[in-house]
């Protein structure tokens, strides 16, 4: 069997490796536009901030290793130009030499990822504007920071990448402003949880401009729509990504309402011989079953396993996405899983909410921190619909427990009954997860 994988980062590297495990005799070819494969895109902000010493440490594997250990042919700096579904072939171009080649496939896996959105910046900026998506983006950005040693920087976008970049710029001593056109940072979270993160950013010297837009850039002066002017040496744009669906669209594959490539529970596209995974693939929401696209690493790796397994004859399905996520922001950690207030309201779903504020572990133990845990649940079935946690310690543990509880279809009453490991260094006799369950009960045995 001839299998071609388009894309060589998280999804592409993982699916090809899984395919080799399931199909030892298949001929597998991976096509990647970047200069590296399998690199950890999530680690890029921490390379720029110096927390990760070397950008090469983000690269987990090389094409030579893939060939030597797995007999997988990885072709970097190559681009898939066209898919011919009738002849089951892909036209591939060597970006370095310009030479083209037509490769045959029996099964094709699309893992093209996404491209960073470039914000519309009116005016005549004469300062560098960076995005952070590909390995080369990080190389260019790090070279600039090391050679120019800028004094002031502007981040456009207050999502995951934006807030992480702001933190890392501050660690370099760069005076940092952040603009978010929504009225708050991390708009995926509930407003009260975003507010905690805003306080943390301001406390650490990040100047926030919320609900604002860039009006113009003249040389190094950025003017906002409220009249504010900011002097900056560079701009880091983190305004989201666009799924790379050109190949799929030109091949006539279905594109869903989220802008991603339509897939079934086995990650097959509208062509049963073509699969799609990762940032460009559209899945389904765990609760509603509606189309949902989660451009995060966990989803890509899980989808890779599902697709590879199905190509090999397996029947495991991708049964829904919770969108579980987490980020570090100075002294705080913020995590979430499932549906937020906004999502629940948009779906017209009835819900009630429990908020529990406590220490992460025993208050008398020296190493403890503040923790705010918020859980939405169905008042009739008491099913858990979503949770968020922000704290100095332990937010990750609680979100992971609740994500597991949702997949296990546990209720708020079950949260009270989970026997969570206790020691003063790690928890409390009644963990915050337990306490949230207890607080949701009107009476014993509810």
């Amino acid at each position: 069997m001839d299998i071609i994988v388009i894309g060589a980062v998280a999804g592409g590297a993982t699916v090809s490796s899984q395919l080799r495990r399931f199909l030892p005799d298949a001929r597998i070819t991976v096509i990647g536009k970047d200069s590296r494969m399998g690199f950890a895109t999530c680690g890029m902000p921490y390379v720029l901030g110096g927390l990760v010493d070397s950008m090469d440490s983000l690269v987990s594997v090389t094409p030579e290793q893939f060939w030597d250990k797995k007999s997988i042919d990885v072709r970097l700096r190559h681009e898939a130009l066209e898919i011919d579904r009738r002849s089951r072939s892909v036209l591939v171009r060597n970006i370095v030499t310009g030479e083209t080649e037509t490769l045959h496939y029996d099964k094709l896996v699309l893992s093209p990822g996404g491209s960073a959105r470039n914000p519309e910046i009116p005016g005549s900026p004469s300062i560098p504007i960076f995005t952070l998506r590909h390995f080369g983006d990080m190389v260019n950005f790090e070279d600039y920071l090391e050679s120019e040693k800028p004094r002031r920087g502007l981040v456009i976008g207050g999502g995951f990448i934006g807030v992480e970049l702001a933190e890392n710029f501050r660690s370099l001593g760069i005076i940092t402003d952040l603009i978010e056109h929504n009225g708050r940072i991390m708009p995926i979270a509930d407003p009260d949880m975003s507010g905690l993160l805003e306080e943390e950013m301001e406390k650490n010297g990040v100047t926030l401009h919320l609900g604002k837009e860039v009006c113009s850039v003249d040389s190094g002066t950025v003017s906002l729509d409220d009249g504010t002017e900011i002097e900056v040496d560079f701009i880091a744009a983190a305004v989201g990504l666009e799924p790379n669906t050109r190949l799929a669209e030109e091949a006539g594959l279905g594109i869903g309402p989220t802008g991603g490539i339509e897939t079934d529970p086995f990650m097959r596209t509208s062509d049963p011989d073509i699969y799609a995974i990762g940032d460009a693939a559209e899945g389904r929401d765990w609760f509603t079953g509606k189309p949902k696209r989660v451009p995060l690493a966990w989803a890509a790796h899980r989808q890779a396993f599902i697709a590879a397994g199905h190509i090999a004859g397996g029947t495991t399905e991708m049964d829904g996405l919770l969108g579980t996520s987490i980020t570090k922001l100075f002294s705080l950690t913020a995590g979430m899983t499932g549906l937020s207030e906004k999502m629940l309201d948009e779906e017209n779903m009835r819900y009630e909410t429990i908020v529990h504020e406590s220490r992460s572990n025993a208050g008398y133990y020296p190493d403890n921190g503040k923790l705010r845990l918020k859980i939405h649940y169905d008042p009739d079935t008491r099913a858990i619909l979503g949770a968020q946690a922000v704290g100095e310690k332990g937010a990750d543990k609680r979100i992971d427990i609740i994500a597991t509880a949702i997949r296990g279809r546990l209720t708020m009453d079950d949260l009270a009954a989970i026997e969570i490991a206790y020691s003063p260094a790690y928890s409390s006799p009644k963990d915050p997860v337990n306490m949230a369950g207890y607080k949701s009960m009107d009476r014993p045995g509810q």
Side-chain angles (χ1 to χ4, degrees):
M1 181 187 294
D2 290 319
I3 304 173
I4 297 176
V5 177
I6 297 177
V9 190
T14 300
V15 74
S16 57
S17 186
Q18 292 287 350
L19 283 164
R20 173 56 72 227
R21 186 163 72 94
F22 296 145
L23 297 168
D25 297 324
R27 289 176 295 276
I28 304 169
T29 304
V30 181
I31 306 300
K33 291 175 65 175
D34 238 307
S35 60
R36 304 287 196 282
M37 70 173 295
F39 58 88
T41 55
C42 298
M44 289 181 177
Y46 304 104
V47 170
L48 298 180
L51 187 64
V52 176
D53 291 336
S54 168
M55 65 180 72
D56 289 331
S57 63
L58 301 187
V59 181
S60 60
V61 69
T62 67
E64 293 76 18
Q65 290 169 333
F66 249 45
W67 178 256
D68 291 342
K69 296 180 180 180
K70 304 174 186 289
S71 296
I72 295 174
D73 181 9
V74 179
R75 305 186 187 186
L76 298 182
R77 303 297 291 152
H78 282 65
E79 179 182 13
L81 299 176
E82 180 183 305
I83 299 168
D84 186 333
R85 292 167 53 193
R86 181 171 297 179
S87 66
R88 289 188 182 181
S89 64
V90 178
L91 179 63
V92 176
R93 180 174 69 92
N94 184 318
I95 296 173
V96 178
T97 67
E99 296 176 348
T100 60
E101 181 181 2
T102 298
L103 303 178
H104 171 269
Y105 69 83
D106 296 302
K107 300 293 181 181
L108 173 64
V109 182
L110 302 179
S111 183
S115 298
R117 291 194 182 108
N118 289 306
E120 295 183 7
I121 300 179
S124 304
S126 61
I127 56 174
I129 300 173
F130 296 96
T131 57
L132 197 62
R133 183 65 187 169
H134 301 289
F135 196 87
D137 298 337
M138 177 178 57
V139 173
N140 294 336
F141 206 161
E142 186 181 49
D143 286 347
Y144 167 79
L145 293 173
E146 290 184 351
S147 63
E148 300 299 322
K149 298 195 168 29
R151 194 174 68 89
R152 299 192 62 120
L154 172 66
V155 178
I156 302 178
F160 289 103
I161 299 298
V163 299
E164 291 167 0
L165 283 173
E167 176 185 3
N168 281 281
F169 294 157
R170 290 299 299 134
S171 73
L172 295 174
I174 297 172
I175 299 169
T176 304
D177 289 71
L178 184 145
I179 300 170
E180 168 56 55
H181 71 88
N182 287 289
R184 54 197 175 88
I185 66 165
M186 296 296 289
I188 193 173
D190 291 346
D192 56 322
M193 307 301 265
S194 292
L196 298 176
L197 303 180
E198 290 164 12
E199 292 174 8
E200 180 73 2
M201 295 190 80
E202 291 173 333
K203 185 174 73 176
N204 285 276
V206 179
T207 302
L208 299 177
H209 307 273
L210 304 178
K212 306 295 189 299
E213 300 273 2
V214 174
C215 191
S216 67
V217 180
D218 184 7
S219 187
T221 301
V222 178
S223 299
L224 307 186
D225 54 6
D226 65 348
T228 300
E229 292 188 344
I230 310 168
E231 297 295 326
V232 300
D233 299 315
F234 69 92
I235 294 173
V239 293
L241 63 85
E242 294 286 348
N244 291 331
T245 58
R246 179 191 64 81
L247 270 177
E249 291 183 66
E250 292 179 354
L253 301 179
I255 304 298
T258 69
I261 304 167
E262 289 181 343
T263 63
D264 70 5
F266 302 112
M267 305 312 300
R268 287 181 300 191
T269 67
S270 51
D271 183 322
D273 292 320
I274 303 177
Y275 295 70
I277 63 174
D279 294 351
E282 182 178 87
R284 294 290 179 272
D285 183 82
W286 169 266
F287 297 99
T288 67
K290 294 182 177 180
K292 183 171 187 168
R293 192 169 56 83
V294 178
L296 296 173
W298 184 91
H301 286 277
R302 179 62 177 169
Q303 291 164 352
F305 173 83
I306 298 293
H310 191 259
I311 290 171
T315 58
T316 303
E317 297 185 5
M318 192 77 190
D319 53 5
L321 291 161
L322 293 176
T324 306
S325 58
I326 198 159
T327 191
K328 174 189 175 299
L329 185 59
F330 298 104
S331 69
L332 294 182
T333 298
M336 69 176 296
T337 188
L339 303 176
S340 65
E341 288 176 352
K342 180 181 178 182
M343 296 171 186
L344 289 162
D345 291 338
E346 288 175 346
E347 293 294 333
N348 293 315
M349 296 173 67
R350 292 182 65 239
Y351 67 95
E352 292 183 3
T353 303
I354 287 293
V355 176
H356 180 68
E357 295 182 337
S358 66
R359 310 303 293 187
S360 58
N361 49 298
Y364 58 80
Y365 190 83
D367 182 19
N368 71 83
K370 295 179 182 178
L371 179 69
R372 178 182 173 90
L373 178 62
K374 184 176 186 180
I375 305 177
H376 305 304
Y377 64 96
D378 185 307
D380 298 320
T381 66
R382 299 183 59 74
I384 306 161
L385 301 175
Q388 297 173 41
V390 173
E392 297 168 330
K393 184 183 176 186
D396 55 338
K397 171 180 177 177
R398 275 70 189 201
I399 288 299
D400 286 343
I401 291 172
I402 295 170
T404 304
I406 292 173
R407 279 204 58 89
R409 304 188 187 279
L410 304 187
T411 66
M412 291 298 291
D413 302 322
D414 294 316
L415 290 188
I418 293 176
E419 190 174 345
I420 295 172
Y422 164 63
S423 164
Y426 301 104
S427 183
S428 302
K430 289 194 290 288
D431 187 85
V433 170
N434 299 138
M435 287 303 301
Y438 284 123
K439 288 174 75 171
S440 73
M441 298 178 183
D442 291 332
R443 58 186 180 277
Q446 180 172 343

